């Protein structure tokens, strides 16, 4: 099982550019999440989805959009990247309420 | 102010020694508390979960404790190994999709 796969692993953007981060899980999980991890801080929730076709805002949603058109995929979009969005982005999924999160290995994004 | 505070921020121990990591939280209501291990360059992996009624739970050399009255949890690692070098993250759930992450404790085990 691949588990949770994130692509790309690394990316450098210029301010104002756009990009999409892809998260794919092969565990048939209902719930999927996008987090960002910054030095000295805990992971912060950007957006999440409780099932195919649904999305909801997390703690820090501004500047990001998401889509969950297929159950196994959760896309995170940056329409106009800003230096403040330099971070490591983690996708996670879980089967049901109360079950543990399964994380991908992250995407390191630098915005210059 | 973060609702989940972990201490120490970093810790260096010698292989074979024990250590204890602390997690204090103010998250309310409380649903459960999980400890995750995050190796460098990887995503976190769940070690153990504590619910309100549980005081102690072990997973191999890892033992987690929870005092729901004082809102404190600890993770004790016994007979440390080089592979224990990682960040350990405490995550407290208020409601099901409201999970608050601590900043983690960076543990380094030296030979």
């Amino acid at each position: 099982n691949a588990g949770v796969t994130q692509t790309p692993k690394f990316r450098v953007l210029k301010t104002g550019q756009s990009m999409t981060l892809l998260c794919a899980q092969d565990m048939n999980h209902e719930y999927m999440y996008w987090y960002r991890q910054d030095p000295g801080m805990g992971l912060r929730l950007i957006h999440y989805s409780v099932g195919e076709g649904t999305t909801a805002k997390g703690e820090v949603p501004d500047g990001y959009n998401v889509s969950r058109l297929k159950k196994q995929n959760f896309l995170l979009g940056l329409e106009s990247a800003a230096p403040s969005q330099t971070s490591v982005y983690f996708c996670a999924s879980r089967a049901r309420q109360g079950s543990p999160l399964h994380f991908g290995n992250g995407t390191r994004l630098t915005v210059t | 102010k973060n609702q989940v505070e972990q201490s120490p921020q970093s810790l260096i121990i010698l292989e074979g020694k024990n250590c204890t990591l602390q997690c204090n939280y103010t998250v309310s209501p409380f649903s459960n508390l999980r400890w995750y291990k995050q190796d460098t360059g990887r995503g976190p992996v769940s070690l153990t979960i504590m619910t309100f009624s549980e005081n102690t739970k072990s997973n191999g050399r890892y033992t987690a404790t929870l005092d729901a009255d004082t809102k404190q949890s600890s993770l004790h690692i016994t007979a440390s190994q080089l592979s224990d070098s990682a960040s350990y993250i405490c995550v407290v759930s208020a409601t099901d999709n409201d999970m608050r992450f601590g900043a983690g404790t960076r543990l380094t085990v030296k030979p």
Side-chain angles (χ1 to χ4, degrees):
Chain A
N1 264 348
V4 178
T5 303
Q6 292 184 233
T7 53
K9 290 183 172 54
F10 303 94
R11 186 73 186 267
V12 178
L13 289 179
K14 293 183 190 275
T15 297
Q17 287 185 320
S18 64
M19 78 164 294
T20 300
L21 284 68
L22 173 63
C23 176
Q25 52 95 3
D26 61 2
M27 298 171 282
N28 201 35
H29 285 173
E30 289 293 335
Y31 298 77
M32 296 188 75
Y33 304 82
W34 275 107
Y35 291 93
R36 59 178 290 172
Q37 186 174 43
D38 300 296
M41 302 179 70
L43 278 83
R44 292 181 292 168
L45 181 63
I46 305 171
H47 286 280
Y48 66 97
S49 168
V50 299
E52 180 179 318
T54 75
T55 62
K57 294 181 180 180
E59 181 185 356
V60 289
D62 293 343
Y64 306 95
N65 56 76
V66 288
S67 65
R68 182 111 182 259
L69 298 178
K70 293 183 179 180
K71 186 176 184 178
Q72 63 267 34
N73 296 337
F74 196 28
L75 280 65
L76 178 70
L78 286 73
E79 291 187 348
S80 180
S84 60
Q85 294 178 304
T86 292
S87 187
V88 181
Y89 292 85
F90 284 97
C91 175
S93 71
R94 60 178 180 174
R96 64 190 69 82
Q97 293 182 2
S99 58
L101 292 167
H102 294 259
F103 285 87
N105 286 327
T107 294
R108 183 173 293 276
L109 175 66
T110 302
V111 183
T112 62
Chain B
K1 183 172 167 31
N2 196 357
Q3 294 179 307
V4 180
E5 299 285 346
Q6 292 188 242
S7 62
Q9 284 188 330
S10 62
L11 182 63
I12 300 174
I13 61 174
L14 292 176
E15 187 178 13
K17 297 297 186 183
N18 304 335
C19 67
T20 301
L21 315 179
Q22 298 290 344
C23 175
N24 295 340
Y25 62 93
T26 59
V27 175
S28 183
F30 174 86
S31 176
N32 60 66
L33 182 150
R34 282 188 185 273
W35 284 93
Y36 285 80
K37 178 187 179 187
Q38 184 177 20
D39 292 317
T40 301
R42 313 279 288 193
V45 175
S46 178
L47 289 174
T48 186
I49 180 174
M50 306 291 289
T51 57
F52 187 84
S53 59
E54 294 174 310
N55 297 120
T56 304
K57 184 177 284 186
S58 292
N59 177 5
R61 295 180 296 103
Y62 301 103
T63 299
T65 67
L66 174 66
D67 185 333
D69 292 331
T70 62
K71 298 188 176 182
Q72 296 179 324
S73 178
S74 67
L75 182 69
H76 185 76
I77 303 174
T78 304
S80 61
Q81 300 176 358
L82 297 179
S83 59
D84 292 332
S85 293
S87 288
Y88 291 84
I89 300 172
C90 174
V91 184
V92 182
S93 292
T95 61
D96 192 59
N97 289 307
D98 185 7
M99 291 169 276
R100 303 302 174 105
F101 288 72
T105 292
R106 177 72 203 171
L107 174 65
T108 302
V109 180
K110 293 198 169 183

